[in-house]
Amino acid sequence: MKNYIKYVVRIFFALFFPLIVSAQEYPSLLITKANLPALREGVKEFPLLESSFLDIQRSVDAELVHKLIVPTPKDAGGGYTHELHKKNYQLLLNSAICFQITQDVQYFDLSKSILIAYANKYQSWPEHPKRKENHPSGRIFWQNLNDCVWLVNAIQAYDLIVSELSSQEREIIEKDLFIPMGEYLMITHKAVFDKIHNHGTWSIAAVGITGLVLNKPEWVNKSLYGSALDKQTGFLKQLDELFSPDGYYAEGPYYQRYALSPFILFAKALHNHKPELHIFEYRNRLLAKAIETVFQTSYTNGLLFPLNDAIKDKSIKSNELVLSNNIAYSDIDTNPTLLGIAKKQNNVTISDAGLKVARDIFLGKSKEFDYKTILIRDGKDGKKGGIGIIRSGDEDTQQTLVLKNTTHGMGHGHFDRLNFLLYDNGFEVFPDYGAARFLNIESKSGGHYLKENNTWAKQSIAHNTIVINEASQFQGNVAKAEQASPTHITLYDHDTLKYVIASDSHSYPQIKISRALVTIQINEFKKPLIVDVSYIYSGKALKTVDLPYYYIGQVVDQSKKNVEANTSLHSFGEKNGYEHLWLNSTYPLQPHGDYITLLSNYKFYKVHFASESPNNTLNHVLLGANDPELNLLPTRGIVLRQENLHEAIFAQLIETYGDINPTDETISDANPIVKNFKITPKEKNNVNISFEAGENVFQLQTDLTNNIISNIQIEQL
Amino acid sequence: MKNYIKYVVRIFFALFFPLIVSAQEYPSLLITKANLPALREGVKEFPLLESSFLDIQRSVDAELVHKLIVPTPKDAGGGYTHELHKKNYQLLLNSAICFQITQDVQYFDLSKSILIAYANKYQSWPEHPKRKENHPSGRIFWQNLNDCVWLVNAIQAYDLIVSELSSQEREIIEKDLFIPMGEYLMITHKAVFDKIHNHGTWSIAAVGITGLVLNKPEWVNKSLYGSALDKQTGFLKQLDELFSPDGYYAEGPYYQRYALSPFILFAKALHNHKPELHIFEYRNRLLAKAIETVFQTSYTNGLLFPLNDAIKDKSIKSNELVLSNNIAYSDIDTNPTLLGIAKKQNNVTISDAGLKVARDIFLGKSKEFDYKTILIRDGKDGKKGGIGIIRSGDEDTQQTLVLKNTTHGMGHGHFDRLNFLLYDNGFEVFPDYGAARFLNIESKSGGHYLKENNTWAKQSIAHNTIVINEASQFQGNVAKAEQASPTHITLYDHDTLKYVIASDSHSYPQIKISRALVTIQINEFKKPLIVDVSYIYSGKALKTVDLPYYYIGQVVDQSKKNVEANTSLHSFGEKNGYEHLWLNSTYPLQPHGDYITLLSNYKFYKVHFASESPNNTLNHVLLGANDPELNLLPTRGIVLRQENLHEAIFAQLIETYGDINPTDETISDANPIVKNFKITPKEKNNVNISFEAGENVFQLQTDLTNNIISNIQIEQL
C-alpha cells in the first residue's frame, strides 16, 4: 500500500519535472557534442588516445558475450553482488564511450540495457542488508558512498547515449532510476548530502551532475549551496573547507586522489553547463592546485606517499588522477609538465580533455613533471602545519625526504606528527607502513581496514617519528588530535642547503617535540648528506623517548660487533603498537661514533648516530608479534631509545654511496666518507653538531629558542 | 739471485719461442680482421649494436680522464686493489674494442699503456699476500681463478691492438707479462691447469687463447689435451666430464653461466685458429646445448633458477650469457629464438657474432625464446638425475614448476634433492633461498659466502623439500652426497596433463623419498592446477618428516580459524638449519579439508592439504633466528610435519586464481573452485587422490611400486 502511494507521488512529481529539454545538447560532460568528430579522429591519430581507447574497448568487448546480471544487493564490499554492481557501472559507462567513438550500435544497446535493467529493479531494493551501523547505507551497495559513485558513472553514460534513446526509454530511466536515486541521496540521506566530507562531495556530485543532465536546477543549486541553499554546505563550501590554500586534503594523498574525482567531475560538468560560475578559477584556482599537490606528494616512481591510511601500491596511474590531470591541462592550465605526468600515466580519459593531452604529447609539447622541494601547507587557512618535501637529483635516482606535520586527517589520520620518509634511487628506503588493510580481499576482514590498522598502523611507534613513554601521540585519541594543530613547519631551499623544520607542542602534554631534516650537497658526494635532528623538551621526567627508523633492505654493517641476539623473542612492549614488534637485540649506543649501514636496492645508506644521553640504546625490531592471523607485513626497523631524561636530542647523519651492478657483479664508490659525526655539548639555546666529510669539517648550529628547533645554520670550518 | 736466474732462463726461452709470426692476421678472436669493416659499419647501422657499443665507449670515456693506477696486489675480493685490477682488465679490453671500432688512437694508447704498466710490474709481484690456505693463489688477485680471468681479458685486448704495436712494445708485453703469466698458470699452478673443474677451464682458456695469439702450439696443445698431453685432462676432457649430454653443469645455473665463459671464449678462438677441430660440433654440439640449457633454467623474467649456491639477482643479461648467446647464434646454430633472448638481454658483444645478432634482429628475424617443458638430465652419461621443468602460459604470466633431483654440485651444491620451486605471473611464489652471500659487500664476510650459507642455505630445511628427523640429506656431508646419484627422474608432457616424478634412495639411509609434481589444465581455470605428492617409505620408524613451503607474499586465509600465535618465539629446532627458523604458530592438520591461501603479486594461491597421518601439523615459520649479524633475509614459510610413522604421504593441490588490479582497485575471478581434495586410503602399491573442480571429479592414481612414486594416472570420474 505504501509503495502504491510512493508510486502515485512519483508520477505526480514527474508531471512537474519535465524530462530532458531537447534543446540541450548531448553529450555534455567529459565528452561534448561539438568535440565528437575531433575525438573520433583523434582516436585514430594520437597513439596515447588510441591505446587508452582500445583498453576500454577490449574490456567492453570481453563482456559483450556475457549475459548481463543485475543481482539483488546482498554482499558487503568485495563480495559477489558488490563487485558485480561495480563492474556494471564501469561497463555501462565504458560501453557508452565505445558507442560514441565507434558509433557501433551494439555498445549503445548494452548501455541502454543496463540502464533499463537497473530502472526495472532499483525501486524494489530497500536499504542494503549489509549496511553498517552508524554508516549511511546505499541501496545498491552497503555504503551510501558507493551508490553515489554508481550514479556519477551512470549519469555520464546516460549523457552519452540519451540523444539516441526514445522518449519512452528516457522516461523509464529517468523516472524509475535517476530521479528516485537522486532523491534517495539528496533527501533520504540528507545528512550525507550536507556533510563537509568526501562522502558529501560524492553525494552532491552525483545529484548535481544528474541535475545538470536532467535539467533540474533545484538539484544543481542544492548541490552547489547545500540543501538549505544557505551556502553553509554544498560544493563551494566543500571547496573552501576541505582543502588548504595549497590544495592539500587533510586525509593525505591516498584519499586526496580519491576525493578529487567528484570535485573534478562536478566542476567539469559545471564548467560546461554553467560557465558563468568560473568554477575552475574558484578560490584562486584551487582545483588546479589540488591536482598539482597530489602529484607533488608522490615519488618519482609514481607511488603516492603512503601517509595516513593508504594502500601502498596506489600510484599516479589511478583513474582519478588520469582524469584530474587531463582536466587540469585541458581546462585550467595548459602546463606542459602535466603532459610529463600523462606520459608516466600512459593513459588518458576518452574525453575532450584526453584528446587535447594525447594530441599535445603527440605534437611533442611534453616536459618532465617539475617535482619540487616544497612546503605544502595544511588547514583551510594554510596555518595548520603541512608537509615538507626535499628533493634532489634526476627522476630515476631522485633522493626525496618527506617530513609530515599536518592536521590529523580525521578518521583516516595516523598519530605520526614529525614522521620522516626517505626515498632514493627509485625506491623507499625508510618507508611508512601505510594502512593495515588488504583492499578487496574478503578473507581479510572483508577487505576493510584490519584491526591492526588501529593497533599498529595508526600508532606513533609504527612511524619514523618520536614516541614518548611508549604511548602514541594524543594518547591515540582522534578527537584530541583533530583539535590541536601542529605548531609550525618551515622550509628552506637554497642551492646546496635545504631543510625543513617542524614542531609540535600538543601531541604529548607539557612536551615540545621538534625535528629538522637537512640536506647538504657536498662536492665529493653524488647525493646530498642528510642530517636528521630531533629535540624533545619536557616539563617532567620522561621514562623513554623512542625514534624508530623502519627500513627496506638489509643491515650490512654496524659499529657494534658481536651483537648478542635474543635466543627467544618477546614483544618490545605491551600496547600502543609496541606489542606488535619483536625485539631482536638491544645494545647501548655511545654519544658518538656508532652507526649502522644498510644495503637497500643496490645502494648503501650509512646512518651515523649522535646523542647527549648516556642511556641510549639501539633496538633491532621486527614487525609481527601478536599477529596470529599473519595480518602484518614483515618489516624491520631500529628503534633508538633514550631513557630517564627531561630533554633529548637525536641526531643522525645519513650518507648514501655505492654503485652496485648486479648484472656485472661490480661495485664502485663503495666507501663512506663522513667521520666524527657528533654533538658538541649543548649550550644555552643551541646545540652544535659537527662532522668531517673528506678534508672538510662542517658544523651545524641548531637554535633551540623556545625549546624547539627554530633555526639551522651550517658552516664549513 | 734466484730472480736473476729466472730472468736469464726467460731470455733464453724467448729466443726459441719467436714473437708473433707476422703472417698471422690480427685481430683473430671475437673480432676478426676480415669482419672489421662490416663491424664498424654495423655499429652505425644496427641499433642494438650501436647502443651496446655506446655503453662500452661511455664507460671507457669516463676513465680516460683518470690516471691509470696499477697498485701492488694487497686486498682480498671486494677490496681496493682487487676491484682496481678487475676494473683495469675491463678497461683494457673495452678500450681496445673502442680503438678497433673508432680507430681513435687515444683508445689504443690507453690499452697499450695498461699492458705496458702491467708488464713493468707483474714479475715483481709474488704470490698474493691474501691467498687462502688450500686455495691456489694468483699474483694479481688472491685467487688463481681471478688471474686467469685477467689474462683471458688481457690477451683479447692484445689481439685487438697488436698489429699497431712496435716490435719492441710487443716484446715487452709478451716477455714480461703474457709469457711469465702463462707459465705461472700452466707450470706453477699445474694442479689447477689440469683440474677437471671450472677453475681449470679458466686456466686452460687463459693459457690456450694466449698460446693461439702468441702462436705457441705447445701451450695450445697442453690446454687441449692436458699438461701431460695424454687427454686425461685439458679442454676436451673438460667438455666430456663437466657437462651432461643435455649441457647441464652440475653446480647449477648460476655457476653454469660463469663456467660457460672460458668454454665459449676458448672454443671461439679454436674455431677461428683451428677450424679443423670442429670444436662446436664436439660431443654432439655440446656447447650449443649448454647455452640453451642455461636459458631453459631461467624464468621468463630473465632470472636464473637460484639452485645451489646462487646470487638471486643474476639474470640472462649477464655478460657471459650475452657472449654465449651471440656465439651460439653466430657460430653454431642460427636459431631465431636465440634472437628473442638477445632482445631480452638488450645487449650484444661488440664482435663478429654480436654484429650478426644485431643485424638479424634489425632484419626482423627474431622469434620469442622457446621456454620448454623439459627434463634436463644430469651426469656425464645423462643418468644421474636432472631437473624437471613444467611450463604453461605466455611469457609475461607463465606458470613454471621446477623439480630438482640432480647430483650434488660439488662444493656449491645444496642438500636439496626433490626441491620444488614455483614461479607464476612474472615472479617467484615458492622460492629457493639461493646462497647466503652479499657478493662484493666487504662488511659481510668480505663479500664471500656467509657462515649462514652452510648453517642455513645449504641445509635441506632451507628448501621446499622433504626433511627427515630434522637432519639434512646425506647428513650434510658433501662427499657422501657426491657419491650417490639420484635414483630417477622422468617427465611426461601431454596436452593438458604434465608431470615430473623423481626419487632418491640415498639421501637418507634405508629411506626412499619420491615426489611427483603434476599440472592439470582444466577448462574452468585460467592456470593449470598443480598437484604435489610426496611419498616417504622407511625401513625404520621416523620421528619427524617435514615438508616446507617458503613463500613470497602473505597468508590471507587459512582453514584453521583463531590460530593461537606464540607470544614469545623460539627456534624451530636446534641444528641443521632449524636453529634459524622462528616458530610462529603450530596447529594440527586434518587428513583433508585444510588449506592456506596466499596472496602473492596480485594473485591468489590456495594450497589444499591432504595426508593419511593422524599426527600432522602445520607450522608457520620465519627465518631469522640465531642471526645476530642480521645476515639472513626475512623469509616466511609453512612447514608441514608428520610424526612417528614408517611411511608418509604429503599431498597438496595448488590452485591459482584472482585478478587483482591495484590501479583500478578491482578484483575478479576471486573465488577458488577446487573442493574435497583428499587421499582415499592407500591400497597395495598405490594411493588415490581425488578432488572436485566445478562439476567434475578427478582422480589421480599414484603407483607406489618399489615404494617410490613410479607412475601417475589421472581420470575424470
Side-chain angles (χ1 to χ4, degrees):
Chain A
M1 185 63 190
K2 237 181 186 172
N3 274 340
Y4 176 70
I5 291 173
K6 260 192 192 166
Y7 186 69
V8 169
V9 169
R10 214 170 280 124
I11 292 286
F12 178 79
F13 256 71
L15 294 174
F16 286 79
F17 288 87
L19 292 176
I20 283 179
V21 180
S22 45
Q24 197 166 336
E25 285 199 329
Y26 298 94
S28 68
L29 299 173
L30 291 175
I31 296 174
T32 58
K33 189 177 179 189
N35 254 313
L36 264 174
L39 188 60
R40 287 175 189 147
E41 274 311 298
V43 163
K44 293 172 199 151
E45 206 174 341
F46 308 123
L48 191 52
L49 191 65
E50 183 185 21
S51 62
S52 302
F53 174 68
L54 290 178
D55 280 351
I56 286 176
Q57 193 178 29
R58 250 189 305 268
S59 75
V60 174
D61 288 352
E63 294 300 327
L64 279 173
V65 296
H66 296 143
K67 199 173 147 356
L68 176 68
I69 305 173
V70 178
T72 301
K74 191 167 75 72
D75 300 323
Y80 173 75
T81 68
H82 180 95
E83 290 300 316
L84 202 53
H85 287 299
K86 219 162 116 185
K87 191 168 140 187
N88 282 346
Y89 74 65
Q90 288 161 345
L91 183 62
L92 164 59
L93 176 53
N94 286 336
S95 187
I97 290 169
C98 289
F99 167 62
Q100 278 299 359
I101 299 301
T102 65
Q103 295 169 284
D104 182 338
V105 73
Q106 67 177 336
Y107 298 121
F108 171 78
D109 289 343
L110 176 57
S111 290
K112 184 178 77 176
S113 69
I114 296 175
L115 285 170
I116 299 280
Y118 275 89
N120 287 339
K121 294 190 172 182
Y122 178 74
Q123 294 182 89
S124 69
W125 294 334
E127 298 274 57
H128 195 282
K130 283 278 169 66
R131 63 189 177 278
K132 285 190 292 186
E133 227 179 324
N134 302 322
H135 278 69
S137 173
R139 286 161 74 170
I140 307 178
F141 297 98
W142 68 320
Q143 290 191 103
N144 186 273
L145 172 68
N146 302 103
D147 277 40
C148 296
V149 176
W150 195 97
L151 180 54
V152 165
N153 281 269
I155 193 64
Q156 290 181 72
Y158 184 66
D159 178 68
L160 284 165
I161 65 165
V162 63
S163 54
E164 308 290 326
L165 291 171
S166 71
S167 59
Q168 263 178 312
E169 288 162 346
R170 293 184 193 189
E171 191 175 324
I172 291 168
I173 294 166
E174 295 188 14
K175 290 201 314 189
D176 294 344
L177 182 59
F178 289 134
I179 292 174
M181 206 166 171
E183 288 169 350
Y184 171 75
L185 297 178
M186 186 168 54
I187 298 164
T188 312
H189 286 287
K190 178 169 168 292
V192 179
F193 184 83
D194 281 337
K195 194 172 181 185
I196 305 295
H197 180 279
N198 164 248
H199 291 195
T201 320
W202 278 104
S203 182
I204 60 176
V207 173
I209 299 170
T210 305
L212 290 169
V213 172
L214 304 192
N215 195 18
K216 295 174 88 56
E218 188 200 345
W219 288 23
V220 177
N221 286 333
K222 287 188 171 175
S223 296
L224 279 169
Y225 309 118
S227 65
L229 295 174
D230 60 0
K231 302 191 180 177
Q232 291 308 298
T233 66
F235 194 56
L236 300 181
K237 189 69 175 175
Q238 299 216 354
L239 282 168
D240 291 340
E241 297 278 332
L242 289 179
F243 293 92
S244 82
D246 291 340
Y248 180 73
Y249 179 76
E251 288 184 312
Y254 175 79
Y255 277 99
Q256 174 150 355
R257 160 205 59 87
Y258 186 66
L260 271 176
S261 253
F263 278 103
I264 300 298
L265 286 166
F266 191 22
K268 172 65 176 164
L270 289 166
H271 181 70
N272 291 358
H273 284 261
K274 295 172 85 72
E276 68 280 10
L277 269 181
H278 299 290
I279 192 70
F280 286 126
E281 298 300 318
Y282 190 76
R283 211 182 154 204
N284 200 12
R285 290 195 171 182
L286 180 86
L287 284 172
K289 285 184 192 162
I291 294 167
E292 157 137 23
T293 287
V294 76
F295 295 127
Q296 292 295 355
T297 53
S298 71
Y299 184 53
T300 53
N301 63 2
L303 295 172
L304 300 177
F305 299 152
L307 299 168
N308 292 337
D309 281 348
I311 304 297
K312 290 195 71 170
D313 44 17
K314 185 53 74 177
S315 81
I316 61 163
K317 291 190 173 191
S318 82
N319 292 329
E320 302 92 342
L321 295 183
V322 172
L323 169 72
S324 297
N325 182 58
N326 291 178
I327 297 292
Y329 182 78
S330 162
D331 294 288
I332 318 182
D333 178 11
T334 53
N335 178 342
T337 69
L338 292 173
L339 300 179
I341 293 284
K343 280 174 82 170
K344 282 190 168 197
Q345 290 172 332
N346 197 26
N347 192 11
V348 289
T349 50
I350 309 308
S351 65
D352 298 359
L355 167 66
K356 192 167 171 189
V357 167
R359 186 192 61 207
D360 285 0
I361 286 176
F362 181 74
L363 295 175
K365 296 187 182 177
S366 164
K367 288 188 181 166
E368 275 200 357
F369 182 68
D370 182 20
Y371 290 100
K372 291 177 183 154
T373 290
I374 193 173
L375 176 64
I376 297 169
R377 294 168 298 160
D378 189 14
K380 68 185 248 203
D381 54 2
K383 291 179 180 168
K384 295 187 173 176
I387 296 177
I389 304 167
I390 298 179
R391 305 195 188 243
S392 160
D394 295 339
E395 273 204 19
D396 56 338
T397 60
Q398 191 178 85
Q399 181 193 78
T400 302
L401 285 75
V402 180
L403 184 61
K404 179 183 185 245
N405 198 29
T406 66
T407 58
H408 189 66
M410 299 175 271
H412 291 301
H414 286 198
F415 298 94
D416 67 343
R417 290 195 184 165
L418 307 188
N419 186 12
F420 158 55
L421 311 184
L422 175 64
Y423 294 83
D424 191 43
N425 214 28
F427 296 93
E428 289 179 307
V429 179
F430 300 124
D432 193 287
Y433 190 86
R437 179 181 191 184
F438 292 87
L439 184 70
N440 287 329
I441 310 299
E442 259 218 285
S443 53
K444 286 290 194 190
S445 296
H448 312 309
Y449 291 99
L450 301 164
K451 64 181 184 304
E452 289 78 8
N453 197 51
N454 288 321
T455 63
W456 167 252
K458 286 183 174 177
Q459 300 293 333
S460 299
I461 190 64
H463 303 84
N464 303 315
T465 192
I466 301 295
V467 191
I468 292 173
N469 293 343
E470 298 191 16
S472 282
Q473 299 171 3
F474 301 100
Q475 295 170 289
N477 182 311
V478 176
K480 284 186 189 169
E482 281 291 345
Q483 276 163 24
S485 305
T487 305
H488 98 299
I489 184 163
T490 58
L491 182 130
Y492 176 85
D493 175 9
H494 184 69
D495 196 23
T496 56
L497 178 67
K498 303 175 188 199
Y499 59 77
V500 53
I501 307 176
S503 67
D504 189 72
S505 310
H506 311 292
S507 48
Y508 293 101
Q510 300 178 53
I511 299 172
K512 295 181 176 186
I513 60 177
S514 54
R515 187 173 200 172
L517 290 173
V518 185
T519 71
I520 310 156
Q521 179 65 58
I522 299 174
N523 284 340
E524 288 93 321
F525 293 85
K526 290 188 185 166
K527 300 266 184 184
L529 297 177
I530 300 166
V531 179
D532 173 13
V533 192
S534 298
Y535 179 61
I536 296 90
Y537 176 85
S538 172
K540 57 188 176 187
L542 305 174
K543 196 159 173 296
T544 58
V545 184
D546 291 343
L547 177 57
Y549 275 65
Y550 296 96
Y551 58 84
I552 305 291
Q554 199 74 9
V555 172
V556 292
D557 194 15
Q558 44 191 339
S559 47
K560 166 81 173 156
K561 306 302 172 192
N562 306 315
V563 174
E564 279 185 38
N566 293 328
T567 52
S568 65
L569 295 192
H570 301 271
S571 67
F572 192 35
E574 297 304 313
K575 57 184 178 180
N576 302 325
Y578 283 77
E579 73 275 24
H580 288 303
L581 292 172
W582 296 117
L583 179 63
N584 256 307
S585 57
T586 302
Y587 57 81
L589 286 180
Q590 305 309 310
H592 61 89
D594 280 321
Y595 66 86
I596 65 161
T597 306
L598 299 173
L599 174 66
S600 188
N601 292 305
Y602 307 116
K603 285 269 175 203
F604 295 112
Y605 300 86
K606 182 170 180 178
V607 187
H608 304 254
F609 305 113
S611 69
E612 287 198 306
S613 157
N615 301 310
N616 206 351
T617 55
L618 185 150
N619 303 275
H620 282 287
V621 297
L622 171 68
L623 184 61
N626 280 294
D627 179 26
E629 308 281 324
L630 298 162
N631 281 341
L632 295 168
L633 303 170
T635 308
R636 280 176 165 180
I638 53 167
V639 178
L640 306 176
R641 168 166 282 189
Q642 297 186 19
E643 293 180 69
N644 304 319
L645 28 68
H646 276 76
E647 63 173 354
I649 300 170
F650 291 88
Q652 293 77 242
L653 183 146
I654 304 159
E655 55 176 328
T656 308
Y657 56 97
D659 265 317
I660 298 170
N661 183 326
T663 301
D664 296 348
E665 297 191 348
T666 56
I667 183 169
S668 58
D669 183 24
N671 296 304
I673 298 183
V674 170
K675 286 190 178 131
N676 284 324
F677 177 71
K678 63 186 176 194
I679 299 175
T680 51
K682 180 168 162 290
E683 295 161 31
K684 190 175 182 311
N685 281 347
N686 72 59
V687 59
N688 291 325
I689 297 165
S690 65
F691 60 92
E692 297 164 28
E695 305 286 289
N696 304 310
V697 180
F698 292 87
Q699 185 169 289
L700 205 124
Q701 196 174 336
T702 309
D703 182 345
L704 301 180
T705 302
N706 295 325
N707 296 313
I708 60 169
I709 302 175
S710 52
N711 199 13
I712 294 275
Q713 283 190 308
I714 187 153
E715 55 181 331
Q716 192 172 335
L717 301 181
Chain B
M1 184 64 190
K2 238 182 184 171
N3 273 342
Y4 176 70
I5 290 172
K6 262 192 187 164
Y7 186 68
V8 172
V9 169
R10 213 169 282 125
I11 292 290
F12 179 80
F13 256 72
L15 296 173
F16 284 81
F17 288 88
L19 294 175
I20 282 177
V21 180
S22 44
Q24 198 167 331
E25 286 199 331
Y26 298 95
S28 69
L29 299 172
L30 291 176
I31 296 174
T32 58
K33 189 178 177 187
N35 254 314
L36 265 173
L39 187 59
R40 287 174 189 150
E41 275 310 298
V43 164
K44 294 172 200 154
E45 207 173 343
F46 307 124
L48 191 52
L49 191 63
E50 184 185 20
S51 62
S52 302
F53 174 69
L54 290 179
D55 280 350
I56 286 177
Q57 193 178 28
R58 251 190 303 268
S59 76
V60 174
D61 288 352
E63 294 299 326
L64 279 174
V65 295
H66 296 142
K67 202 173 139 7
L68 176 68
I69 305 173
V70 178
T72 302
K74 193 168 75 71
D75 300 325
Y80 173 75
T81 69
H82 180 96
E83 289 300 317
L84 202 53
H85 287 299
K86 219 163 116 184
K87 189 169 143 188
N88 281 346
Y89 74 64
Q90 288 162 344
L91 183 61
L92 165 61
L93 176 54
N94 286 337
S95 188
I97 289 169
C98 289
F99 167 63
Q100 279 299 359
I101 300 301
T102 64
Q103 295 171 282
D104 181 338
V105 73
Q106 67 176 337
Y107 298 121
F108 170 78
D109 289 343
L110 176 58
S111 290
K112 184 178 78 177
S113 68
I114 296 175
L115 285 170
I116 298 281
Y118 276 87
N120 287 339
K121 294 189 172 182
Y122 178 74
Q123 294 181 88
S124 69
W125 292 335
E127 297 274 55
H128 195 282
K130 283 277 170 66
R131 63 189 177 276
K132 284 190 294 187
E133 228 181 322
N134 302 323
H135 277 70
S137 172
R139 286 160 75 170
I140 306 177
F141 296 98
W142 68 321
Q143 290 191 103
N144 186 276
L145 172 68
N146 301 103
D147 277 39
C148 297
V149 176
W150 196 97
L151 180 55
V152 165
N153 281 270
I155 193 64
Q156 291 182 71
Y158 184 67
D159 178 67
L160 284 165
I161 66 164
V162 63
S163 55
E164 306 292 326
L165 291 170
S166 71
S167 59
Q168 263 175 312
E169 288 162 347
R170 293 185 192 188
E171 193 175 321
I172 290 169
I173 294 167
E174 294 189 13
K175 288 202 313 191
D176 293 344
L177 181 60
F178 288 134
I179 292 175
M181 206 167 170
E183 287 169 351
Y184 171 75
L185 298 178
M186 184 169 54
I187 298 164
T188 312
H189 286 288
K190 179 169 169 290
V192 180
F193 184 84
D194 281 336
K195 196 171 178 182
I196 305 295
H197 181 279
N198 165 247
H199 290 196
T201 319
W202 277 103
S203 182
I204 60 176
V207 172
I209 299 170
T210 306
L212 290 168
V213 172
L214 304 192
N215 195 18
K216 295 171 87 55
E218 188 201 344
W219 286 25
V220 176
N221 286 334
K222 286 186 171 175
S223 296
L224 279 169
Y225 308 120
S227 64
L229 296 174
D230 61 0
K231 303 189 179 178
Q232 291 310 298
T233 66
F235 194 57
L236 300 182
K237 189 70 176 176
Q238 298 215 355
L239 283 168
D240 292 340
E241 297 279 332
L242 288 180
F243 292 92
S244 82
D246 292 339
Y248 181 73
Y249 178 77
E251 288 184 311
Y254 176 79
Y255 277 98
Q256 174 151 355
R257 160 204 61 86
Y258 186 66
L260 271 175
S261 252
F263 278 104
I264 300 298
L265 286 167
F266 191 23
K268 171 64 175 164
L270 289 165
H271 182 68
N272 291 359
H273 283 261
K274 294 172 84 72
E276 69 279 10
L277 269 181
H278 298 290
I279 192 70
F280 285 126
E281 298 299 320
Y282 190 78
R283 213 183 152 201
N284 200 12
R285 292 195 169 182
L286 179 85
L287 285 173
K289 285 184 191 161
I291 294 167
E292 156 136 24
T293 287
V294 76
F295 295 126
Q296 292 294 356
T297 52
S298 72
Y299 183 53
T300 52
N301 63 2
L303 294 173
L304 301 176
F305 299 152
L307 299 168
N308 291 338
D309 282 348
I311 304 297
K312 290 194 74 170
D313 44 17
K314 185 55 74 178
S315 81
I316 61 163
K317 291 189 172 190
S318 82
N319 292 330
E320 304 91 342
L321 296 183
V322 173
L323 169 72
S324 298
N325 182 58
N326 290 177
I327 297 293
Y329 182 76
S330 161
D331 294 287
I332 318 181
D333 179 11
T334 53
N335 179 342
T337 69
L338 293 174
L339 300 180
I341 293 285
K343 280 174 83 169
K344 283 191 169 200
Q345 291 172 331
N346 196 27
N347 191 11
V348 290
T349 51
I350 309 307
S351 64
D352 297 0
L355 167 67
K356 193 167 169 185
V357 167
R359 187 192 60 208
D360 286 0
I361 287 176
F362 180 76
L363 295 174
K365 295 187 182 176
S366 165
K367 289 189 180 165
E368 276 200 356
F369 182 67
D370 182 20
Y371 290 98
K372 291 176 181 155
T373 290
I374 192 174
L375 176 64
I376 297 169
R377 295 168 299 161
D378 188 15
K380 66 186 251 201
D381 55 1
K383 292 179 179 168
K384 294 187 172 176
I387 295 176
I389 303 166
I390 298 178
R391 304 196 189 242
S392 160
D394 294 339
E395 272 204 19
D396 55 337
T397 59
Q398 191 178 84
Q399 181 193 80
T400 302
L401 285 75
V402 180
L403 184 61
K404 180 182 185 243
N405 198 28
T406 66
T407 59
H408 189 66
M410 299 177 272
H412 291 301
H414 286 198
F415 298 95
D416 67 345
R417 290 193 185 166
L418 305 188
N419 185 11
F420 157 55
L421 312 185
L422 175 63
Y423 294 83
D424 191 42
N425 215 29
F427 297 92
E428 289 178 309
V429 179
F430 299 125
D432 193 287
Y433 190 85
R437 181 182 189 183
F438 291 87
L439 184 70
N440 286 331
I441 311 298
E442 259 219 285
S443 53
K444 284 291 194 190
S445 297
H448 311 309
Y449 290 100
L450 300 164
K451 65 181 184 303
E452 287 79 7
N453 197 51
N454 288 321
T455 62
W456 167 251
K458 286 182 174 177
Q459 300 292 334
S460 299
I461 190 64
H463 303 84
N464 303 317
T465 190
I466 301 294
V467 190
I468 292 171
N469 293 342
E470 297 192 17
S472 281
Q473 298 172 1
F474 300 101
Q475 296 171 288
N477 181 311
V478 176
K480 284 187 188 168
E482 281 291 344
Q483 277 164 24
S485 304
T487 305
H488 98 298
I489 184 163
T490 57
L491 183 131
Y492 176 85
D493 176 9
H494 183 70
D495 197 22
T496 56
L497 179 67
K498 303 176 187 198
Y499 59 77
V500 53
I501 308 176
S503 66
D504 189 72
S505 310
H506 310 293
S507 46
Y508 293 101
Q510 299 178 53
I511 299 172
K512 295 181 176 185
I513 61 177
S514 54
R515 188 173 200 171
L517 290 174
V518 185
T519 72
I520 309 154
Q521 179 64 59
I522 298 173
N523 284 340
E524 288 94 323
F525 294 85
K526 290 188 184 163
K527 300 266 183 183
L529 297 177
I530 300 166
V531 180
D532 172 13
V533 191
S534 298
Y535 179 61
I536 297 90
Y537 176 85
S538 171
K540 57 190 175 186
L542 304 174
K543 197 158 170 299
T544 59
V545 184
D546 291 343
L547 176 57
Y549 275 65
Y550 297 96
Y551 59 85
I552 305 290
Q554 199 74 9
V555 172
V556 292
D557 195 15
Q558 45 191 340
S559 48
K560 166 82 172 156
K561 306 301 172 193
N562 306 316
V563 174
E564 279 186 38
N566 293 327
T567 52
S568 65
L569 295 192
H570 300 271
S571 66
F572 192 35
E574 298 302 313
K575 56 184 178 180
N576 302 325
Y578 284 76
E579 73 275 23
H580 289 303
L581 292 172
W582 296 116
L583 178 62
N584 256 307
S585 57
T586 301
Y587 58 80
L589 287 180
Q590 304 309 311
H592 61 88
D594 280 320
Y595 66 86
I596 64 163
T597 306
L598 299 173
L599 174 66
S600 189
N601 293 305
Y602 307 116
K603 285 269 175 202
F604 295 112
Y605 299 86
K606 181 170 180 177
V607 188
H608 304 253
F609 305 112
S611 70
E612 288 200 306
S613 159
N615 301 309
N616 205 352
T617 56
L618 185 149
N619 303 275
H620 283 287
V621 296
L622 171 66
L623 184 60
N626 281 292
D627 179 26
E629 310 280 324
L630 298 162
N631 281 341
L632 295 167
L633 304 171
T635 308
R636 280 176 165 180
I638 54 167
V639 179
L640 305 176
R641 167 167 284 190
Q642 298 187 18
E643 292 180 69
N644 304 320
L645 28 69
H646 275 77
E647 62 172 355
I649 300 169
F650 291 88
Q652 293 79 240
L653 183 145
I654 304 159
E655 55 176 326
T656 308
Y657 57 97
D659 265 317
I660 298 170
N661 183 327
T663 301
D664 297 347
E665 297 192 346
T666 56
I667 183 167
S668 58
D669 184 25
N671 296 304
I673 299 182
V674 170
K675 287 193 179 130
N676 284 325
F677 176 70
K678 62 187 175 189
I679 300 175
T680 52
K682 181 168 163 287
E683 295 162 31
K684 189 176 182 315
N685 281 346
N686 71 59
V687 59
N688 290 326
I689 297 165
S690 65
F691 60 93
E692 296 164 29
E695 305 286 289
N696 305 309
V697 180
F698 293 87
Q699 184 168 293
L700 205 123
Q701 194 173 337
T702 308
D703 182 345
L704 301 180
T705 304
N706 294 324
N707 296 314
I708 60 170
I709 301 175
S710 51
N711 199 13
I712 295 275
Q713 285 191 309
I714 187 154
E715 54 182 331
Q716 192 173 336
L717 300 183

